[in-house]
Amino acid sequence: MSSFSLLLHYPLELRFLHKYGDFDGESFELPEERNDEFLQLLEFTVKYFFVKGVVYNSVNYVKDAVFKTCVAIEAEKDYLEEYSKVSKEDIISFNQRIKNKQYGRYLRGLVLLAAYLNPKQNMDDFDDFLIETHHIEHILPKKWNNYDGWNEETWSNDLNSLGNLIPLEYRLNINAKNEFFNRKKDYYRDSKVQDALDLLSLNDWNPSILHQIQDEKEKRLESFFTFNK
């Protein structure tokens, strides 16, 4: 396989680690001075793939950028240059699609990212959470019932929105699903996810509260999806 073919098949982060990491025959380590650069590359990769994915819903829109970024890493050039070329129009379209609940296949990832960006979230707890088996919890359950403040139309419109979804440990999700809100909270209190813990102070789960939380999560995402180096 040619070197260019290898670049196409290696994930960006592995390319970076291969270029700058040290292997002493027993263990692999990234030099401390490269840690911040590596984390920045991870952050920009997440941003770029989410924006292009939500807006265009096609892997073809990231292929060239991945190839050029891998080449830049190998050549020790500015490997974030391609990511910085995301157009203002794409960012506007991305934010608009989020507001219109047009998440496509990226809904699960956006729910996880929005939870990660909760300013009160303990990062060590979230790392531990991601290692465990986890589900996406519908606060307003997927099975319709006559919940206070809801009708079938509002339930259908908001069921699969960011405001109604939180990441939750598998065992807690299994117990909480299809329960009424005040009973769900008994399981949420044992979660490591701050988005679940934030719900404990609420006495009700109605459209107004859901929309407030929806707005908050949209603001977290809008603030995160910038490409300033």
Side-chain angles (χ1 to χ4, degrees):
M1 185 179 290
S2 70
S3 58
F4 285 109
S5 296
L6 284 171
L7 287 174
L8 283 172
H9 285 81
Y10 278 19
L12 294 170
E13 291 72 26
L14 290 181
R15 190 75 236 158
F16 185 94
L17 293 172
H18 178 267
K19 178 69 178 178
Y20 297 112
D22 293 326
F23 182 67
D24 61 8
E26 295 183 2
S27 62
F28 181 89
E29 184 176 357
L30 187 67
E32 186 175 348
E33 63 271 17
R34 294 285 184 181
N35 282 341
D36 288 344
E37 296 175 34
F38 181 64
L39 292 176
Q40 188 179 46
L41 175 61
L42 286 173
E43 179 181 326
F44 271 61
T45 301
V46 169
K47 292 177 179 180
Y48 190 87
F49 275 60
F50 264 110
V51 169
K52 292 295 185 178
V54 169
V55 173
Y56 297 104
N57 196 34
S58 173
V59 70
N60 291 327
Y61 282 88
V62 301
K63 281 183 176 180
D64 285 349
V66 169
F67 177 81
K68 291 177 181 178
T69 301
C70 285
V71 171
I73 291 172
E74 189 65 23
E76 299 188 1
K77 294 182 178 179
D78 182 1
Y79 49 81
L80 296 180
E81 181 181 1
E82 286 301 313
Y83 289 153
S84 65
K85 294 178 181 177
V86 173
S87 68
K88 182 179 180 180
E89 289 73 21
D90 279 354
I91 297 294
I92 292 173
S93 179
F94 172 83
N95 288 325
Q96 192 60 51
R97 285 173 181 269
I98 298 301
K99 290 183 182 299
N100 292 337
K101 305 172 190 173
Q102 297 173 327
Y103 312 119
R105 70 183 76 177
Y106 300 92
L107 178 56
R108 179 183 178 87
L110 289 166
V111 172
L112 286 165
L113 180 58
Y116 174 82
L117 295 172
N118 186 320
K120 295 184 291 182
Q121 176 64 56
N122 181 290
M123 291 295 105
D124 289 336
D125 284 348
F126 203 78
D127 287 344
D128 292 340
F129 164 79
L130 290 176
I131 294 173
E132 302 177 28
T133 301
H134 53 271
H135 282 181
I136 300 301
E137 155 75 353
H138 288 73
I139 303 168
L140 185 66
K142 289 189 285 186
K143 184 178 180 181
W144 164 249
N145 205 326
N146 291 314
Y147 297 97
D148 292 340
W150 297 90
N151 57 47
E152 288 197 56
E153 181 179 0
T154 55
W155 168 80
S156 177
N157 287 338
D158 287 327
L159 179 65
N160 291 307
S161 66
L162 287 175
N164 191 55
L165 300 171
I166 56 172
L168 197 65
E169 291 84 349
Y170 170 79
R171 58 185 174 81
L172 300 179
N173 177 253
I174 292 299
N175 291 324
K177 70 177 182 178
N178 294 328
E179 291 283 5
F180 284 88
F181 178 66
N182 282 327
R183 295 199 58 182
K184 282 175 175 279
K185 290 195 298 181
D186 291 338
Y187 302 105
Y188 293 169
R189 72 178 69 255
D190 293 328
S191 178
K192 295 177 181 177
V193 178
Q194 189 63 44
D195 273 1
L197 298 176
D198 286 345
L199 301 175
L200 299 180
S201 62
L202 302 177
N203 295 319
D204 192 16
W205 188 248
N206 57 49
S208 177
I209 292 174
L210 184 151
H211 295 156
Q212 290 176 22
I213 292 178
Q214 175 85 12
D215 289 343
E216 179 186 330
K217 291 182 179 180
E218 289 176 0
K219 288 176 181 177
R220 290 181 204 166
L221 294 174
E222 185 174 0
S223 176
F224 176 74
F225 281 97
T226 60
F227 287 82
N228 298 321
K229 296 183 186 178

